[in-house]
Amino acid sequence: MKIVNIINFIRGAEPRCEADLLTPVREQVKLVNKFGLRSTFLLMYDALVNEEFRDILAMANGDTEIGLWLEVCGPQCEAAGVKWRGRFCWDWFANAGFTVAYNNGDREKLIDAAFEAYKKYYGKYPRSVGAWALDAHSLSYMERKYGIDAACICRDQWGTDGYSFWGGYYNQAYYPCKNNMFCPAQTKEEQINVPVFRMLGSDPIYQYDNGLDIDGGAAAWQGVATLEPVYCGEDGGGNKDWVDWYFEENFSDRTLGFSYTQAGQENSFGWPAMANGLTYQIGKIADFVSKNRLSALTLGETGRWFKERYAGTPPTTVSALTDRHGKGRSSVWYDCKNYRVNVYTENGGFFIRDLYLFRENYKERYKDAVNDLPSMVFDNLPFIDGNRFSCGGIRSGLYPQVNGTDLRYEEMKYEKDGASVRLIFRNTPAGTFVITADETSVTFEADTDFVLKNKTKGADCEPERKAVPDKLFMKYNGYDYSVRLTAGRFSDETTVLSVGGKIKILLGKEV
């Protein structure tokens, strides 16, 4: 299945600048109507109670879904009987404009106010909810009380707009756990049965390292290389060449599970900034749909399809094997309920750029706490982080080596088999080198013995590490976790030696 959700979300106020908020919605409705596409509009409370927005949406085709954008605003707080914490009628700071800025009881009141207002105008409760950030308590509450079908949140990014989402299920969708909305559940008992879809369509190669300085370290505020049509740079949704490349890569037949992206734009940017990019994207989506290369579904439909197909979080991939910039870069992301891993190539070399563990007992920072900071952080448990851990001239990552030299290759082959993916690197100094990712492990195999070297400079954000021959113990943000070897052995905290040309790292919940 290859799915695109056209999701435009609507705010009723924009205190950051003077903006025409109605025209973008009017033009977005015209676009989806022109091509007869299914789409979703998510209304923030202040837009929901504004008749002008509702009148525009009434002109949308009959396949249009209307849901909630669950950022918090002053009028919503007033309706809920909750003290508004913002500086303006809506405030983008994370200690005001998001559910995490309020205690659990107030979160429920804010949700009730929004759902009741929706029912007042549409005669039923919404089935789809989105926000840049939600929280586990709010998701669980909406599942129990309102039976929502789907939710969507921001892509992975660090620091952008003050919001950090790092180490999550990279694309597609997952079932979150009750302790952490950003972490897939490993067991049915701890699972929130609402699939959470990742928004914005990140460039699989270039978004992750956006702003990285190998000497100075990771960017405090990452730039944007996504499908958002207002971004017209080399790697953005306002660039037709990039959009063409992204659609071919993202919706290729090599994807494991299902292919997914979200298109659309919030009205805060104004119509002139998004007009060219969004018009091109919607036309391209319509072309793909007409050729049966893609299905345009509403968010709610996608959530219901996901729940019918998957009882738990599935393994998926998102990848890009061609590089628009001609630098020999490629990227394969494998996600499952236990971990995510990224295999990255560059100019004939290859390494593990990223590996984060998912543990359902690792609590989000806001599970039972109010966020008092203007920024917020959602994350998981790092093992390898080629962005955040890079500094001092060291490009962090897990590098295959022979005799202290990073391996290079002449040819790479991608294979998928059931729930696993295999990358075969031919003609390396270790012979044929194979990396296999499945739901519980990553395995490295070669014709000769080799070493996996975790290159690191000791960045402040790294976990504490302690190795024994078959296990690496780590501690991050106060949480203890580990990985175990069933082939190979640790010689120290950053070095793994193969045995018989094989290293296998167990990454499941129980290690």
Side-chain angles (χ1 to χ4, degrees):
M1 190 73 165
K2 300 176 181 180
I3 300 170
V4 62
N5 288 161
I6 302 169
I7 302 174
N8 297 294
F9 62 90
I10 305 170
R11 297 190 178 105
E14 180 46 80
R16 292 172 291 191
C17 62
E18 187 173 332
D20 175 359
L21 299 177
L22 292 169
T23 298
V25 183
R26 189 177 294 112
E27 296 299 325
Q28 288 164 349
V29 167
K30 288 180 183 178
L31 266 180
V32 294
N33 283 354
K34 176 182 176 180
F35 293 102
L37 293 171
R38 310 172 92 84
S39 69
T40 296
F41 287 87
L42 300 178
L43 288 159
M44 204 162 112
Y45 183 92
D46 55 0
L48 173 64
V49 299
N50 185 325
E51 186 177 14
E52 291 182 289
F53 289 108
R54 298 198 308 276
D55 286 346
I56 294 171
L57 293 179
M59 297 185 290
N61 67 58
D63 291 324
T64 301
E65 174 189 46
I66 298 174
L68 282 177
W69 185 251
L70 199 60
E71 290 178 3
V72 180
C73 60
Q76 182 183 1
C77 282
E78 183 177 355
V82 172
K83 183 179 179 181
W84 168 234
R85 303 186 69 193
R87 300 164 296 168
F88 317 103
C89 59
W90 169 68
D91 194 332
W92 59 96
F93 276 11
N95 56 2
F98 295 87
T99 55
V100 297
Y102 303 87
N103 64 44
N104 287 342
D106 285 346
R107 293 175 197 180
E108 295 178 7
K109 293 176 184 177
L110 291 165
I111 290 167
D112 289 343
F115 273 70
E116 290 301 331
Y118 183 99
K119 186 178 182 182
K120 174 183 176 181
Y121 298 114
Y122 291 105
K124 57 184 179 180
Y125 292 126
R127 306 307 300 265
S128 295
V129 174
W132 288 145
L134 294 166
D135 67 272
H137 181 88
S138 294
L139 271 175
S140 293
Y141 182 72
M142 288 186 285
E143 178 203 6
R144 292 193 314 271
K145 185 167 183 178
Y146 298 106
I148 62 172
D149 291 320
C152 58
I153 62 166
C154 187
R155 62 181 172 89
D156 258 46
Q157 62 181 39
W158 188 268
T160 312
D161 297 324
Y163 317 144
S164 295
F165 308 91
W166 200 254
Y169 197 99
Y170 200 73
N171 195 51
Q172 285 105 325
Y174 63 96
Y175 288 112
C177 67
K178 295 175 182 178
N179 282 317
N180 187 344
M181 78 89 191
F182 200 58
C183 178
Q186 285 83 62
T187 64
K188 191 68 176 175
E189 294 74 22
E190 292 299 318
Q191 180 171 295
I192 301 173
N193 293 309
V194 177
V196 174
F197 292 83
R198 302 304 301 273
M199 299 179 71
L200 306 179
S202 291
D203 185 312
I205 298 175
Y206 287 98
Q207 177 58 62
Y208 180 81
D209 285 334
N210 196 297
L212 175 62
D213 182 319
I214 300 301
D215 294 316
W221 180 303
Q222 280 194 313
V224 177
T226 74
L227 197 55
E228 289 181 89
V230 297
Y231 292 101
C232 301
E234 280 293 312
D235 305 307
N239 181 322
K240 294 180 181 179
D241 291 337
W242 183 89
V243 172
D244 291 345
W245 169 85
Y246 176 80
F247 269 67
E248 292 298 331
E249 293 287 347
N250 193 68
F251 295 111
S252 74
D253 290 335
R254 66 177 173 268
T255 301
L256 187 69
F258 69 102
S259 302
Y260 175 82
T261 199
Q262 175 260 325
Q265 190 73 65
E266 70 225 66
N267 63 334
S268 298
F269 282 98
W271 179 243
M274 73 180 77
N276 291 338
L278 188 60
T279 300
Y280 182 77
Q281 288 183 26
I282 298 302
K284 189 169 190 69
I285 290 168
D287 179 62
F288 270 49
V289 169
S290 71
K291 296 174 180 176
N292 295 318
R293 296 187 62 188
L294 188 60
S295 295
L297 303 178
T298 68
L299 177 58
E301 287 173 328
T302 310
R304 291 187 289 276
W305 170 85
F306 188 95
K307 287 193 283 188
E308 289 172 2
R309 184 176 180 86
Y310 302 114
T313 297
T316 61
T317 57
V318 59
S319 60
L321 300 188
T322 63
D323 182 3
R324 291 181 60 249
H325 301 297
K327 297 180 180 179
R329 293 167 177 163
S330 71
S331 173
V332 177
W333 291 92
Y334 178 90
D335 296 276
C336 64
K337 67 180 183 180
N338 292 311
Y339 71 96
R340 79 175 194 187
V341 65
N342 178 240
V343 182
Y344 182 74
T345 73
E346 187 173 53
N347 290 328
F350 64 101
F351 63 98
I352 301 297
R353 183 167 62 159
D354 180 277
L355 203 166
Y356 267 73
L357 304 177
F358 303 143
R359 297 292 182 264
E360 61 189 17
N361 292 325
Y362 176 61
K363 293 184 179 182
E364 66 184 45
R365 289 160 175 78
Y366 317 110
K367 175 69 167 63
D368 298 301
V370 171
N371 179 38
D372 289 320
L373 299 174
S375 60
M376 60 181 162
V377 176
F378 285 87
D379 61 8
N380 283 294
L381 300 168
F383 179 15
I384 306 296
D385 191 326
N387 184 316
R388 303 289 302 150
F389 298 170
S390 294
C391 63
I394 299 296
R395 179 72 175 276
S396 192
L398 190 64
Y399 290 76
Q401 296 181 338
V402 169
N403 297 324
T405 301
D406 299 342
L407 296 189
R408 300 183 65 78
Y409 71 100
E410 294 182 4
E411 178 190 2
M412 183 184 80
K413 184 179 180 181
Y414 174 106
E415 295 180 347
K416 61 180 180 179
D417 181 14
S420 66
V421 165
R422 184 179 303 108
L423 297 178
I424 304 167
F425 297 91
R426 302 194 189 280
N427 300 324
T428 81
T432 298
F433 195 96
V434 182
I435 302 174
T436 304
D438 61 35
E439 286 192 273
T440 59
S441 64
V442 176
T443 304
F444 305 82
E445 298 174 279
D447 296 332
T448 63
D449 275 322
F450 60 93
V451 168
L452 292 180
K453 186 65 177 179
N454 183 5
K455 294 185 182 181
T456 177
K457 194 73 173 181
D460 291 341
C461 55
E462 293 187 34
E464 301 173 25
R465 303 181 182 93
K466 181 180 179 181
V468 296
D470 70 338
K471 209 165 190 179
L472 180 66
F473 298 92
M474 291 170 280
K475 187 172 187 176
Y476 173 79
N477 194 29
Y479 187 88
D480 293 304
Y481 57 107
S482 62
V483 298
R484 183 165 65 88
L485 303 179
T486 57
R489 64 183 180 87
F490 286 102
S491 63
D492 59 40
E493 281 69 25
T494 60
T495 309
V496 191
L497 308 179
S498 71
V499 174
K502 183 176 181 179
I503 295 172
K504 183 171 184 177
I505 309 175
L506 292 188
L507 301 165
K509 181 185 178 186
E510 301 297 335
V511 296

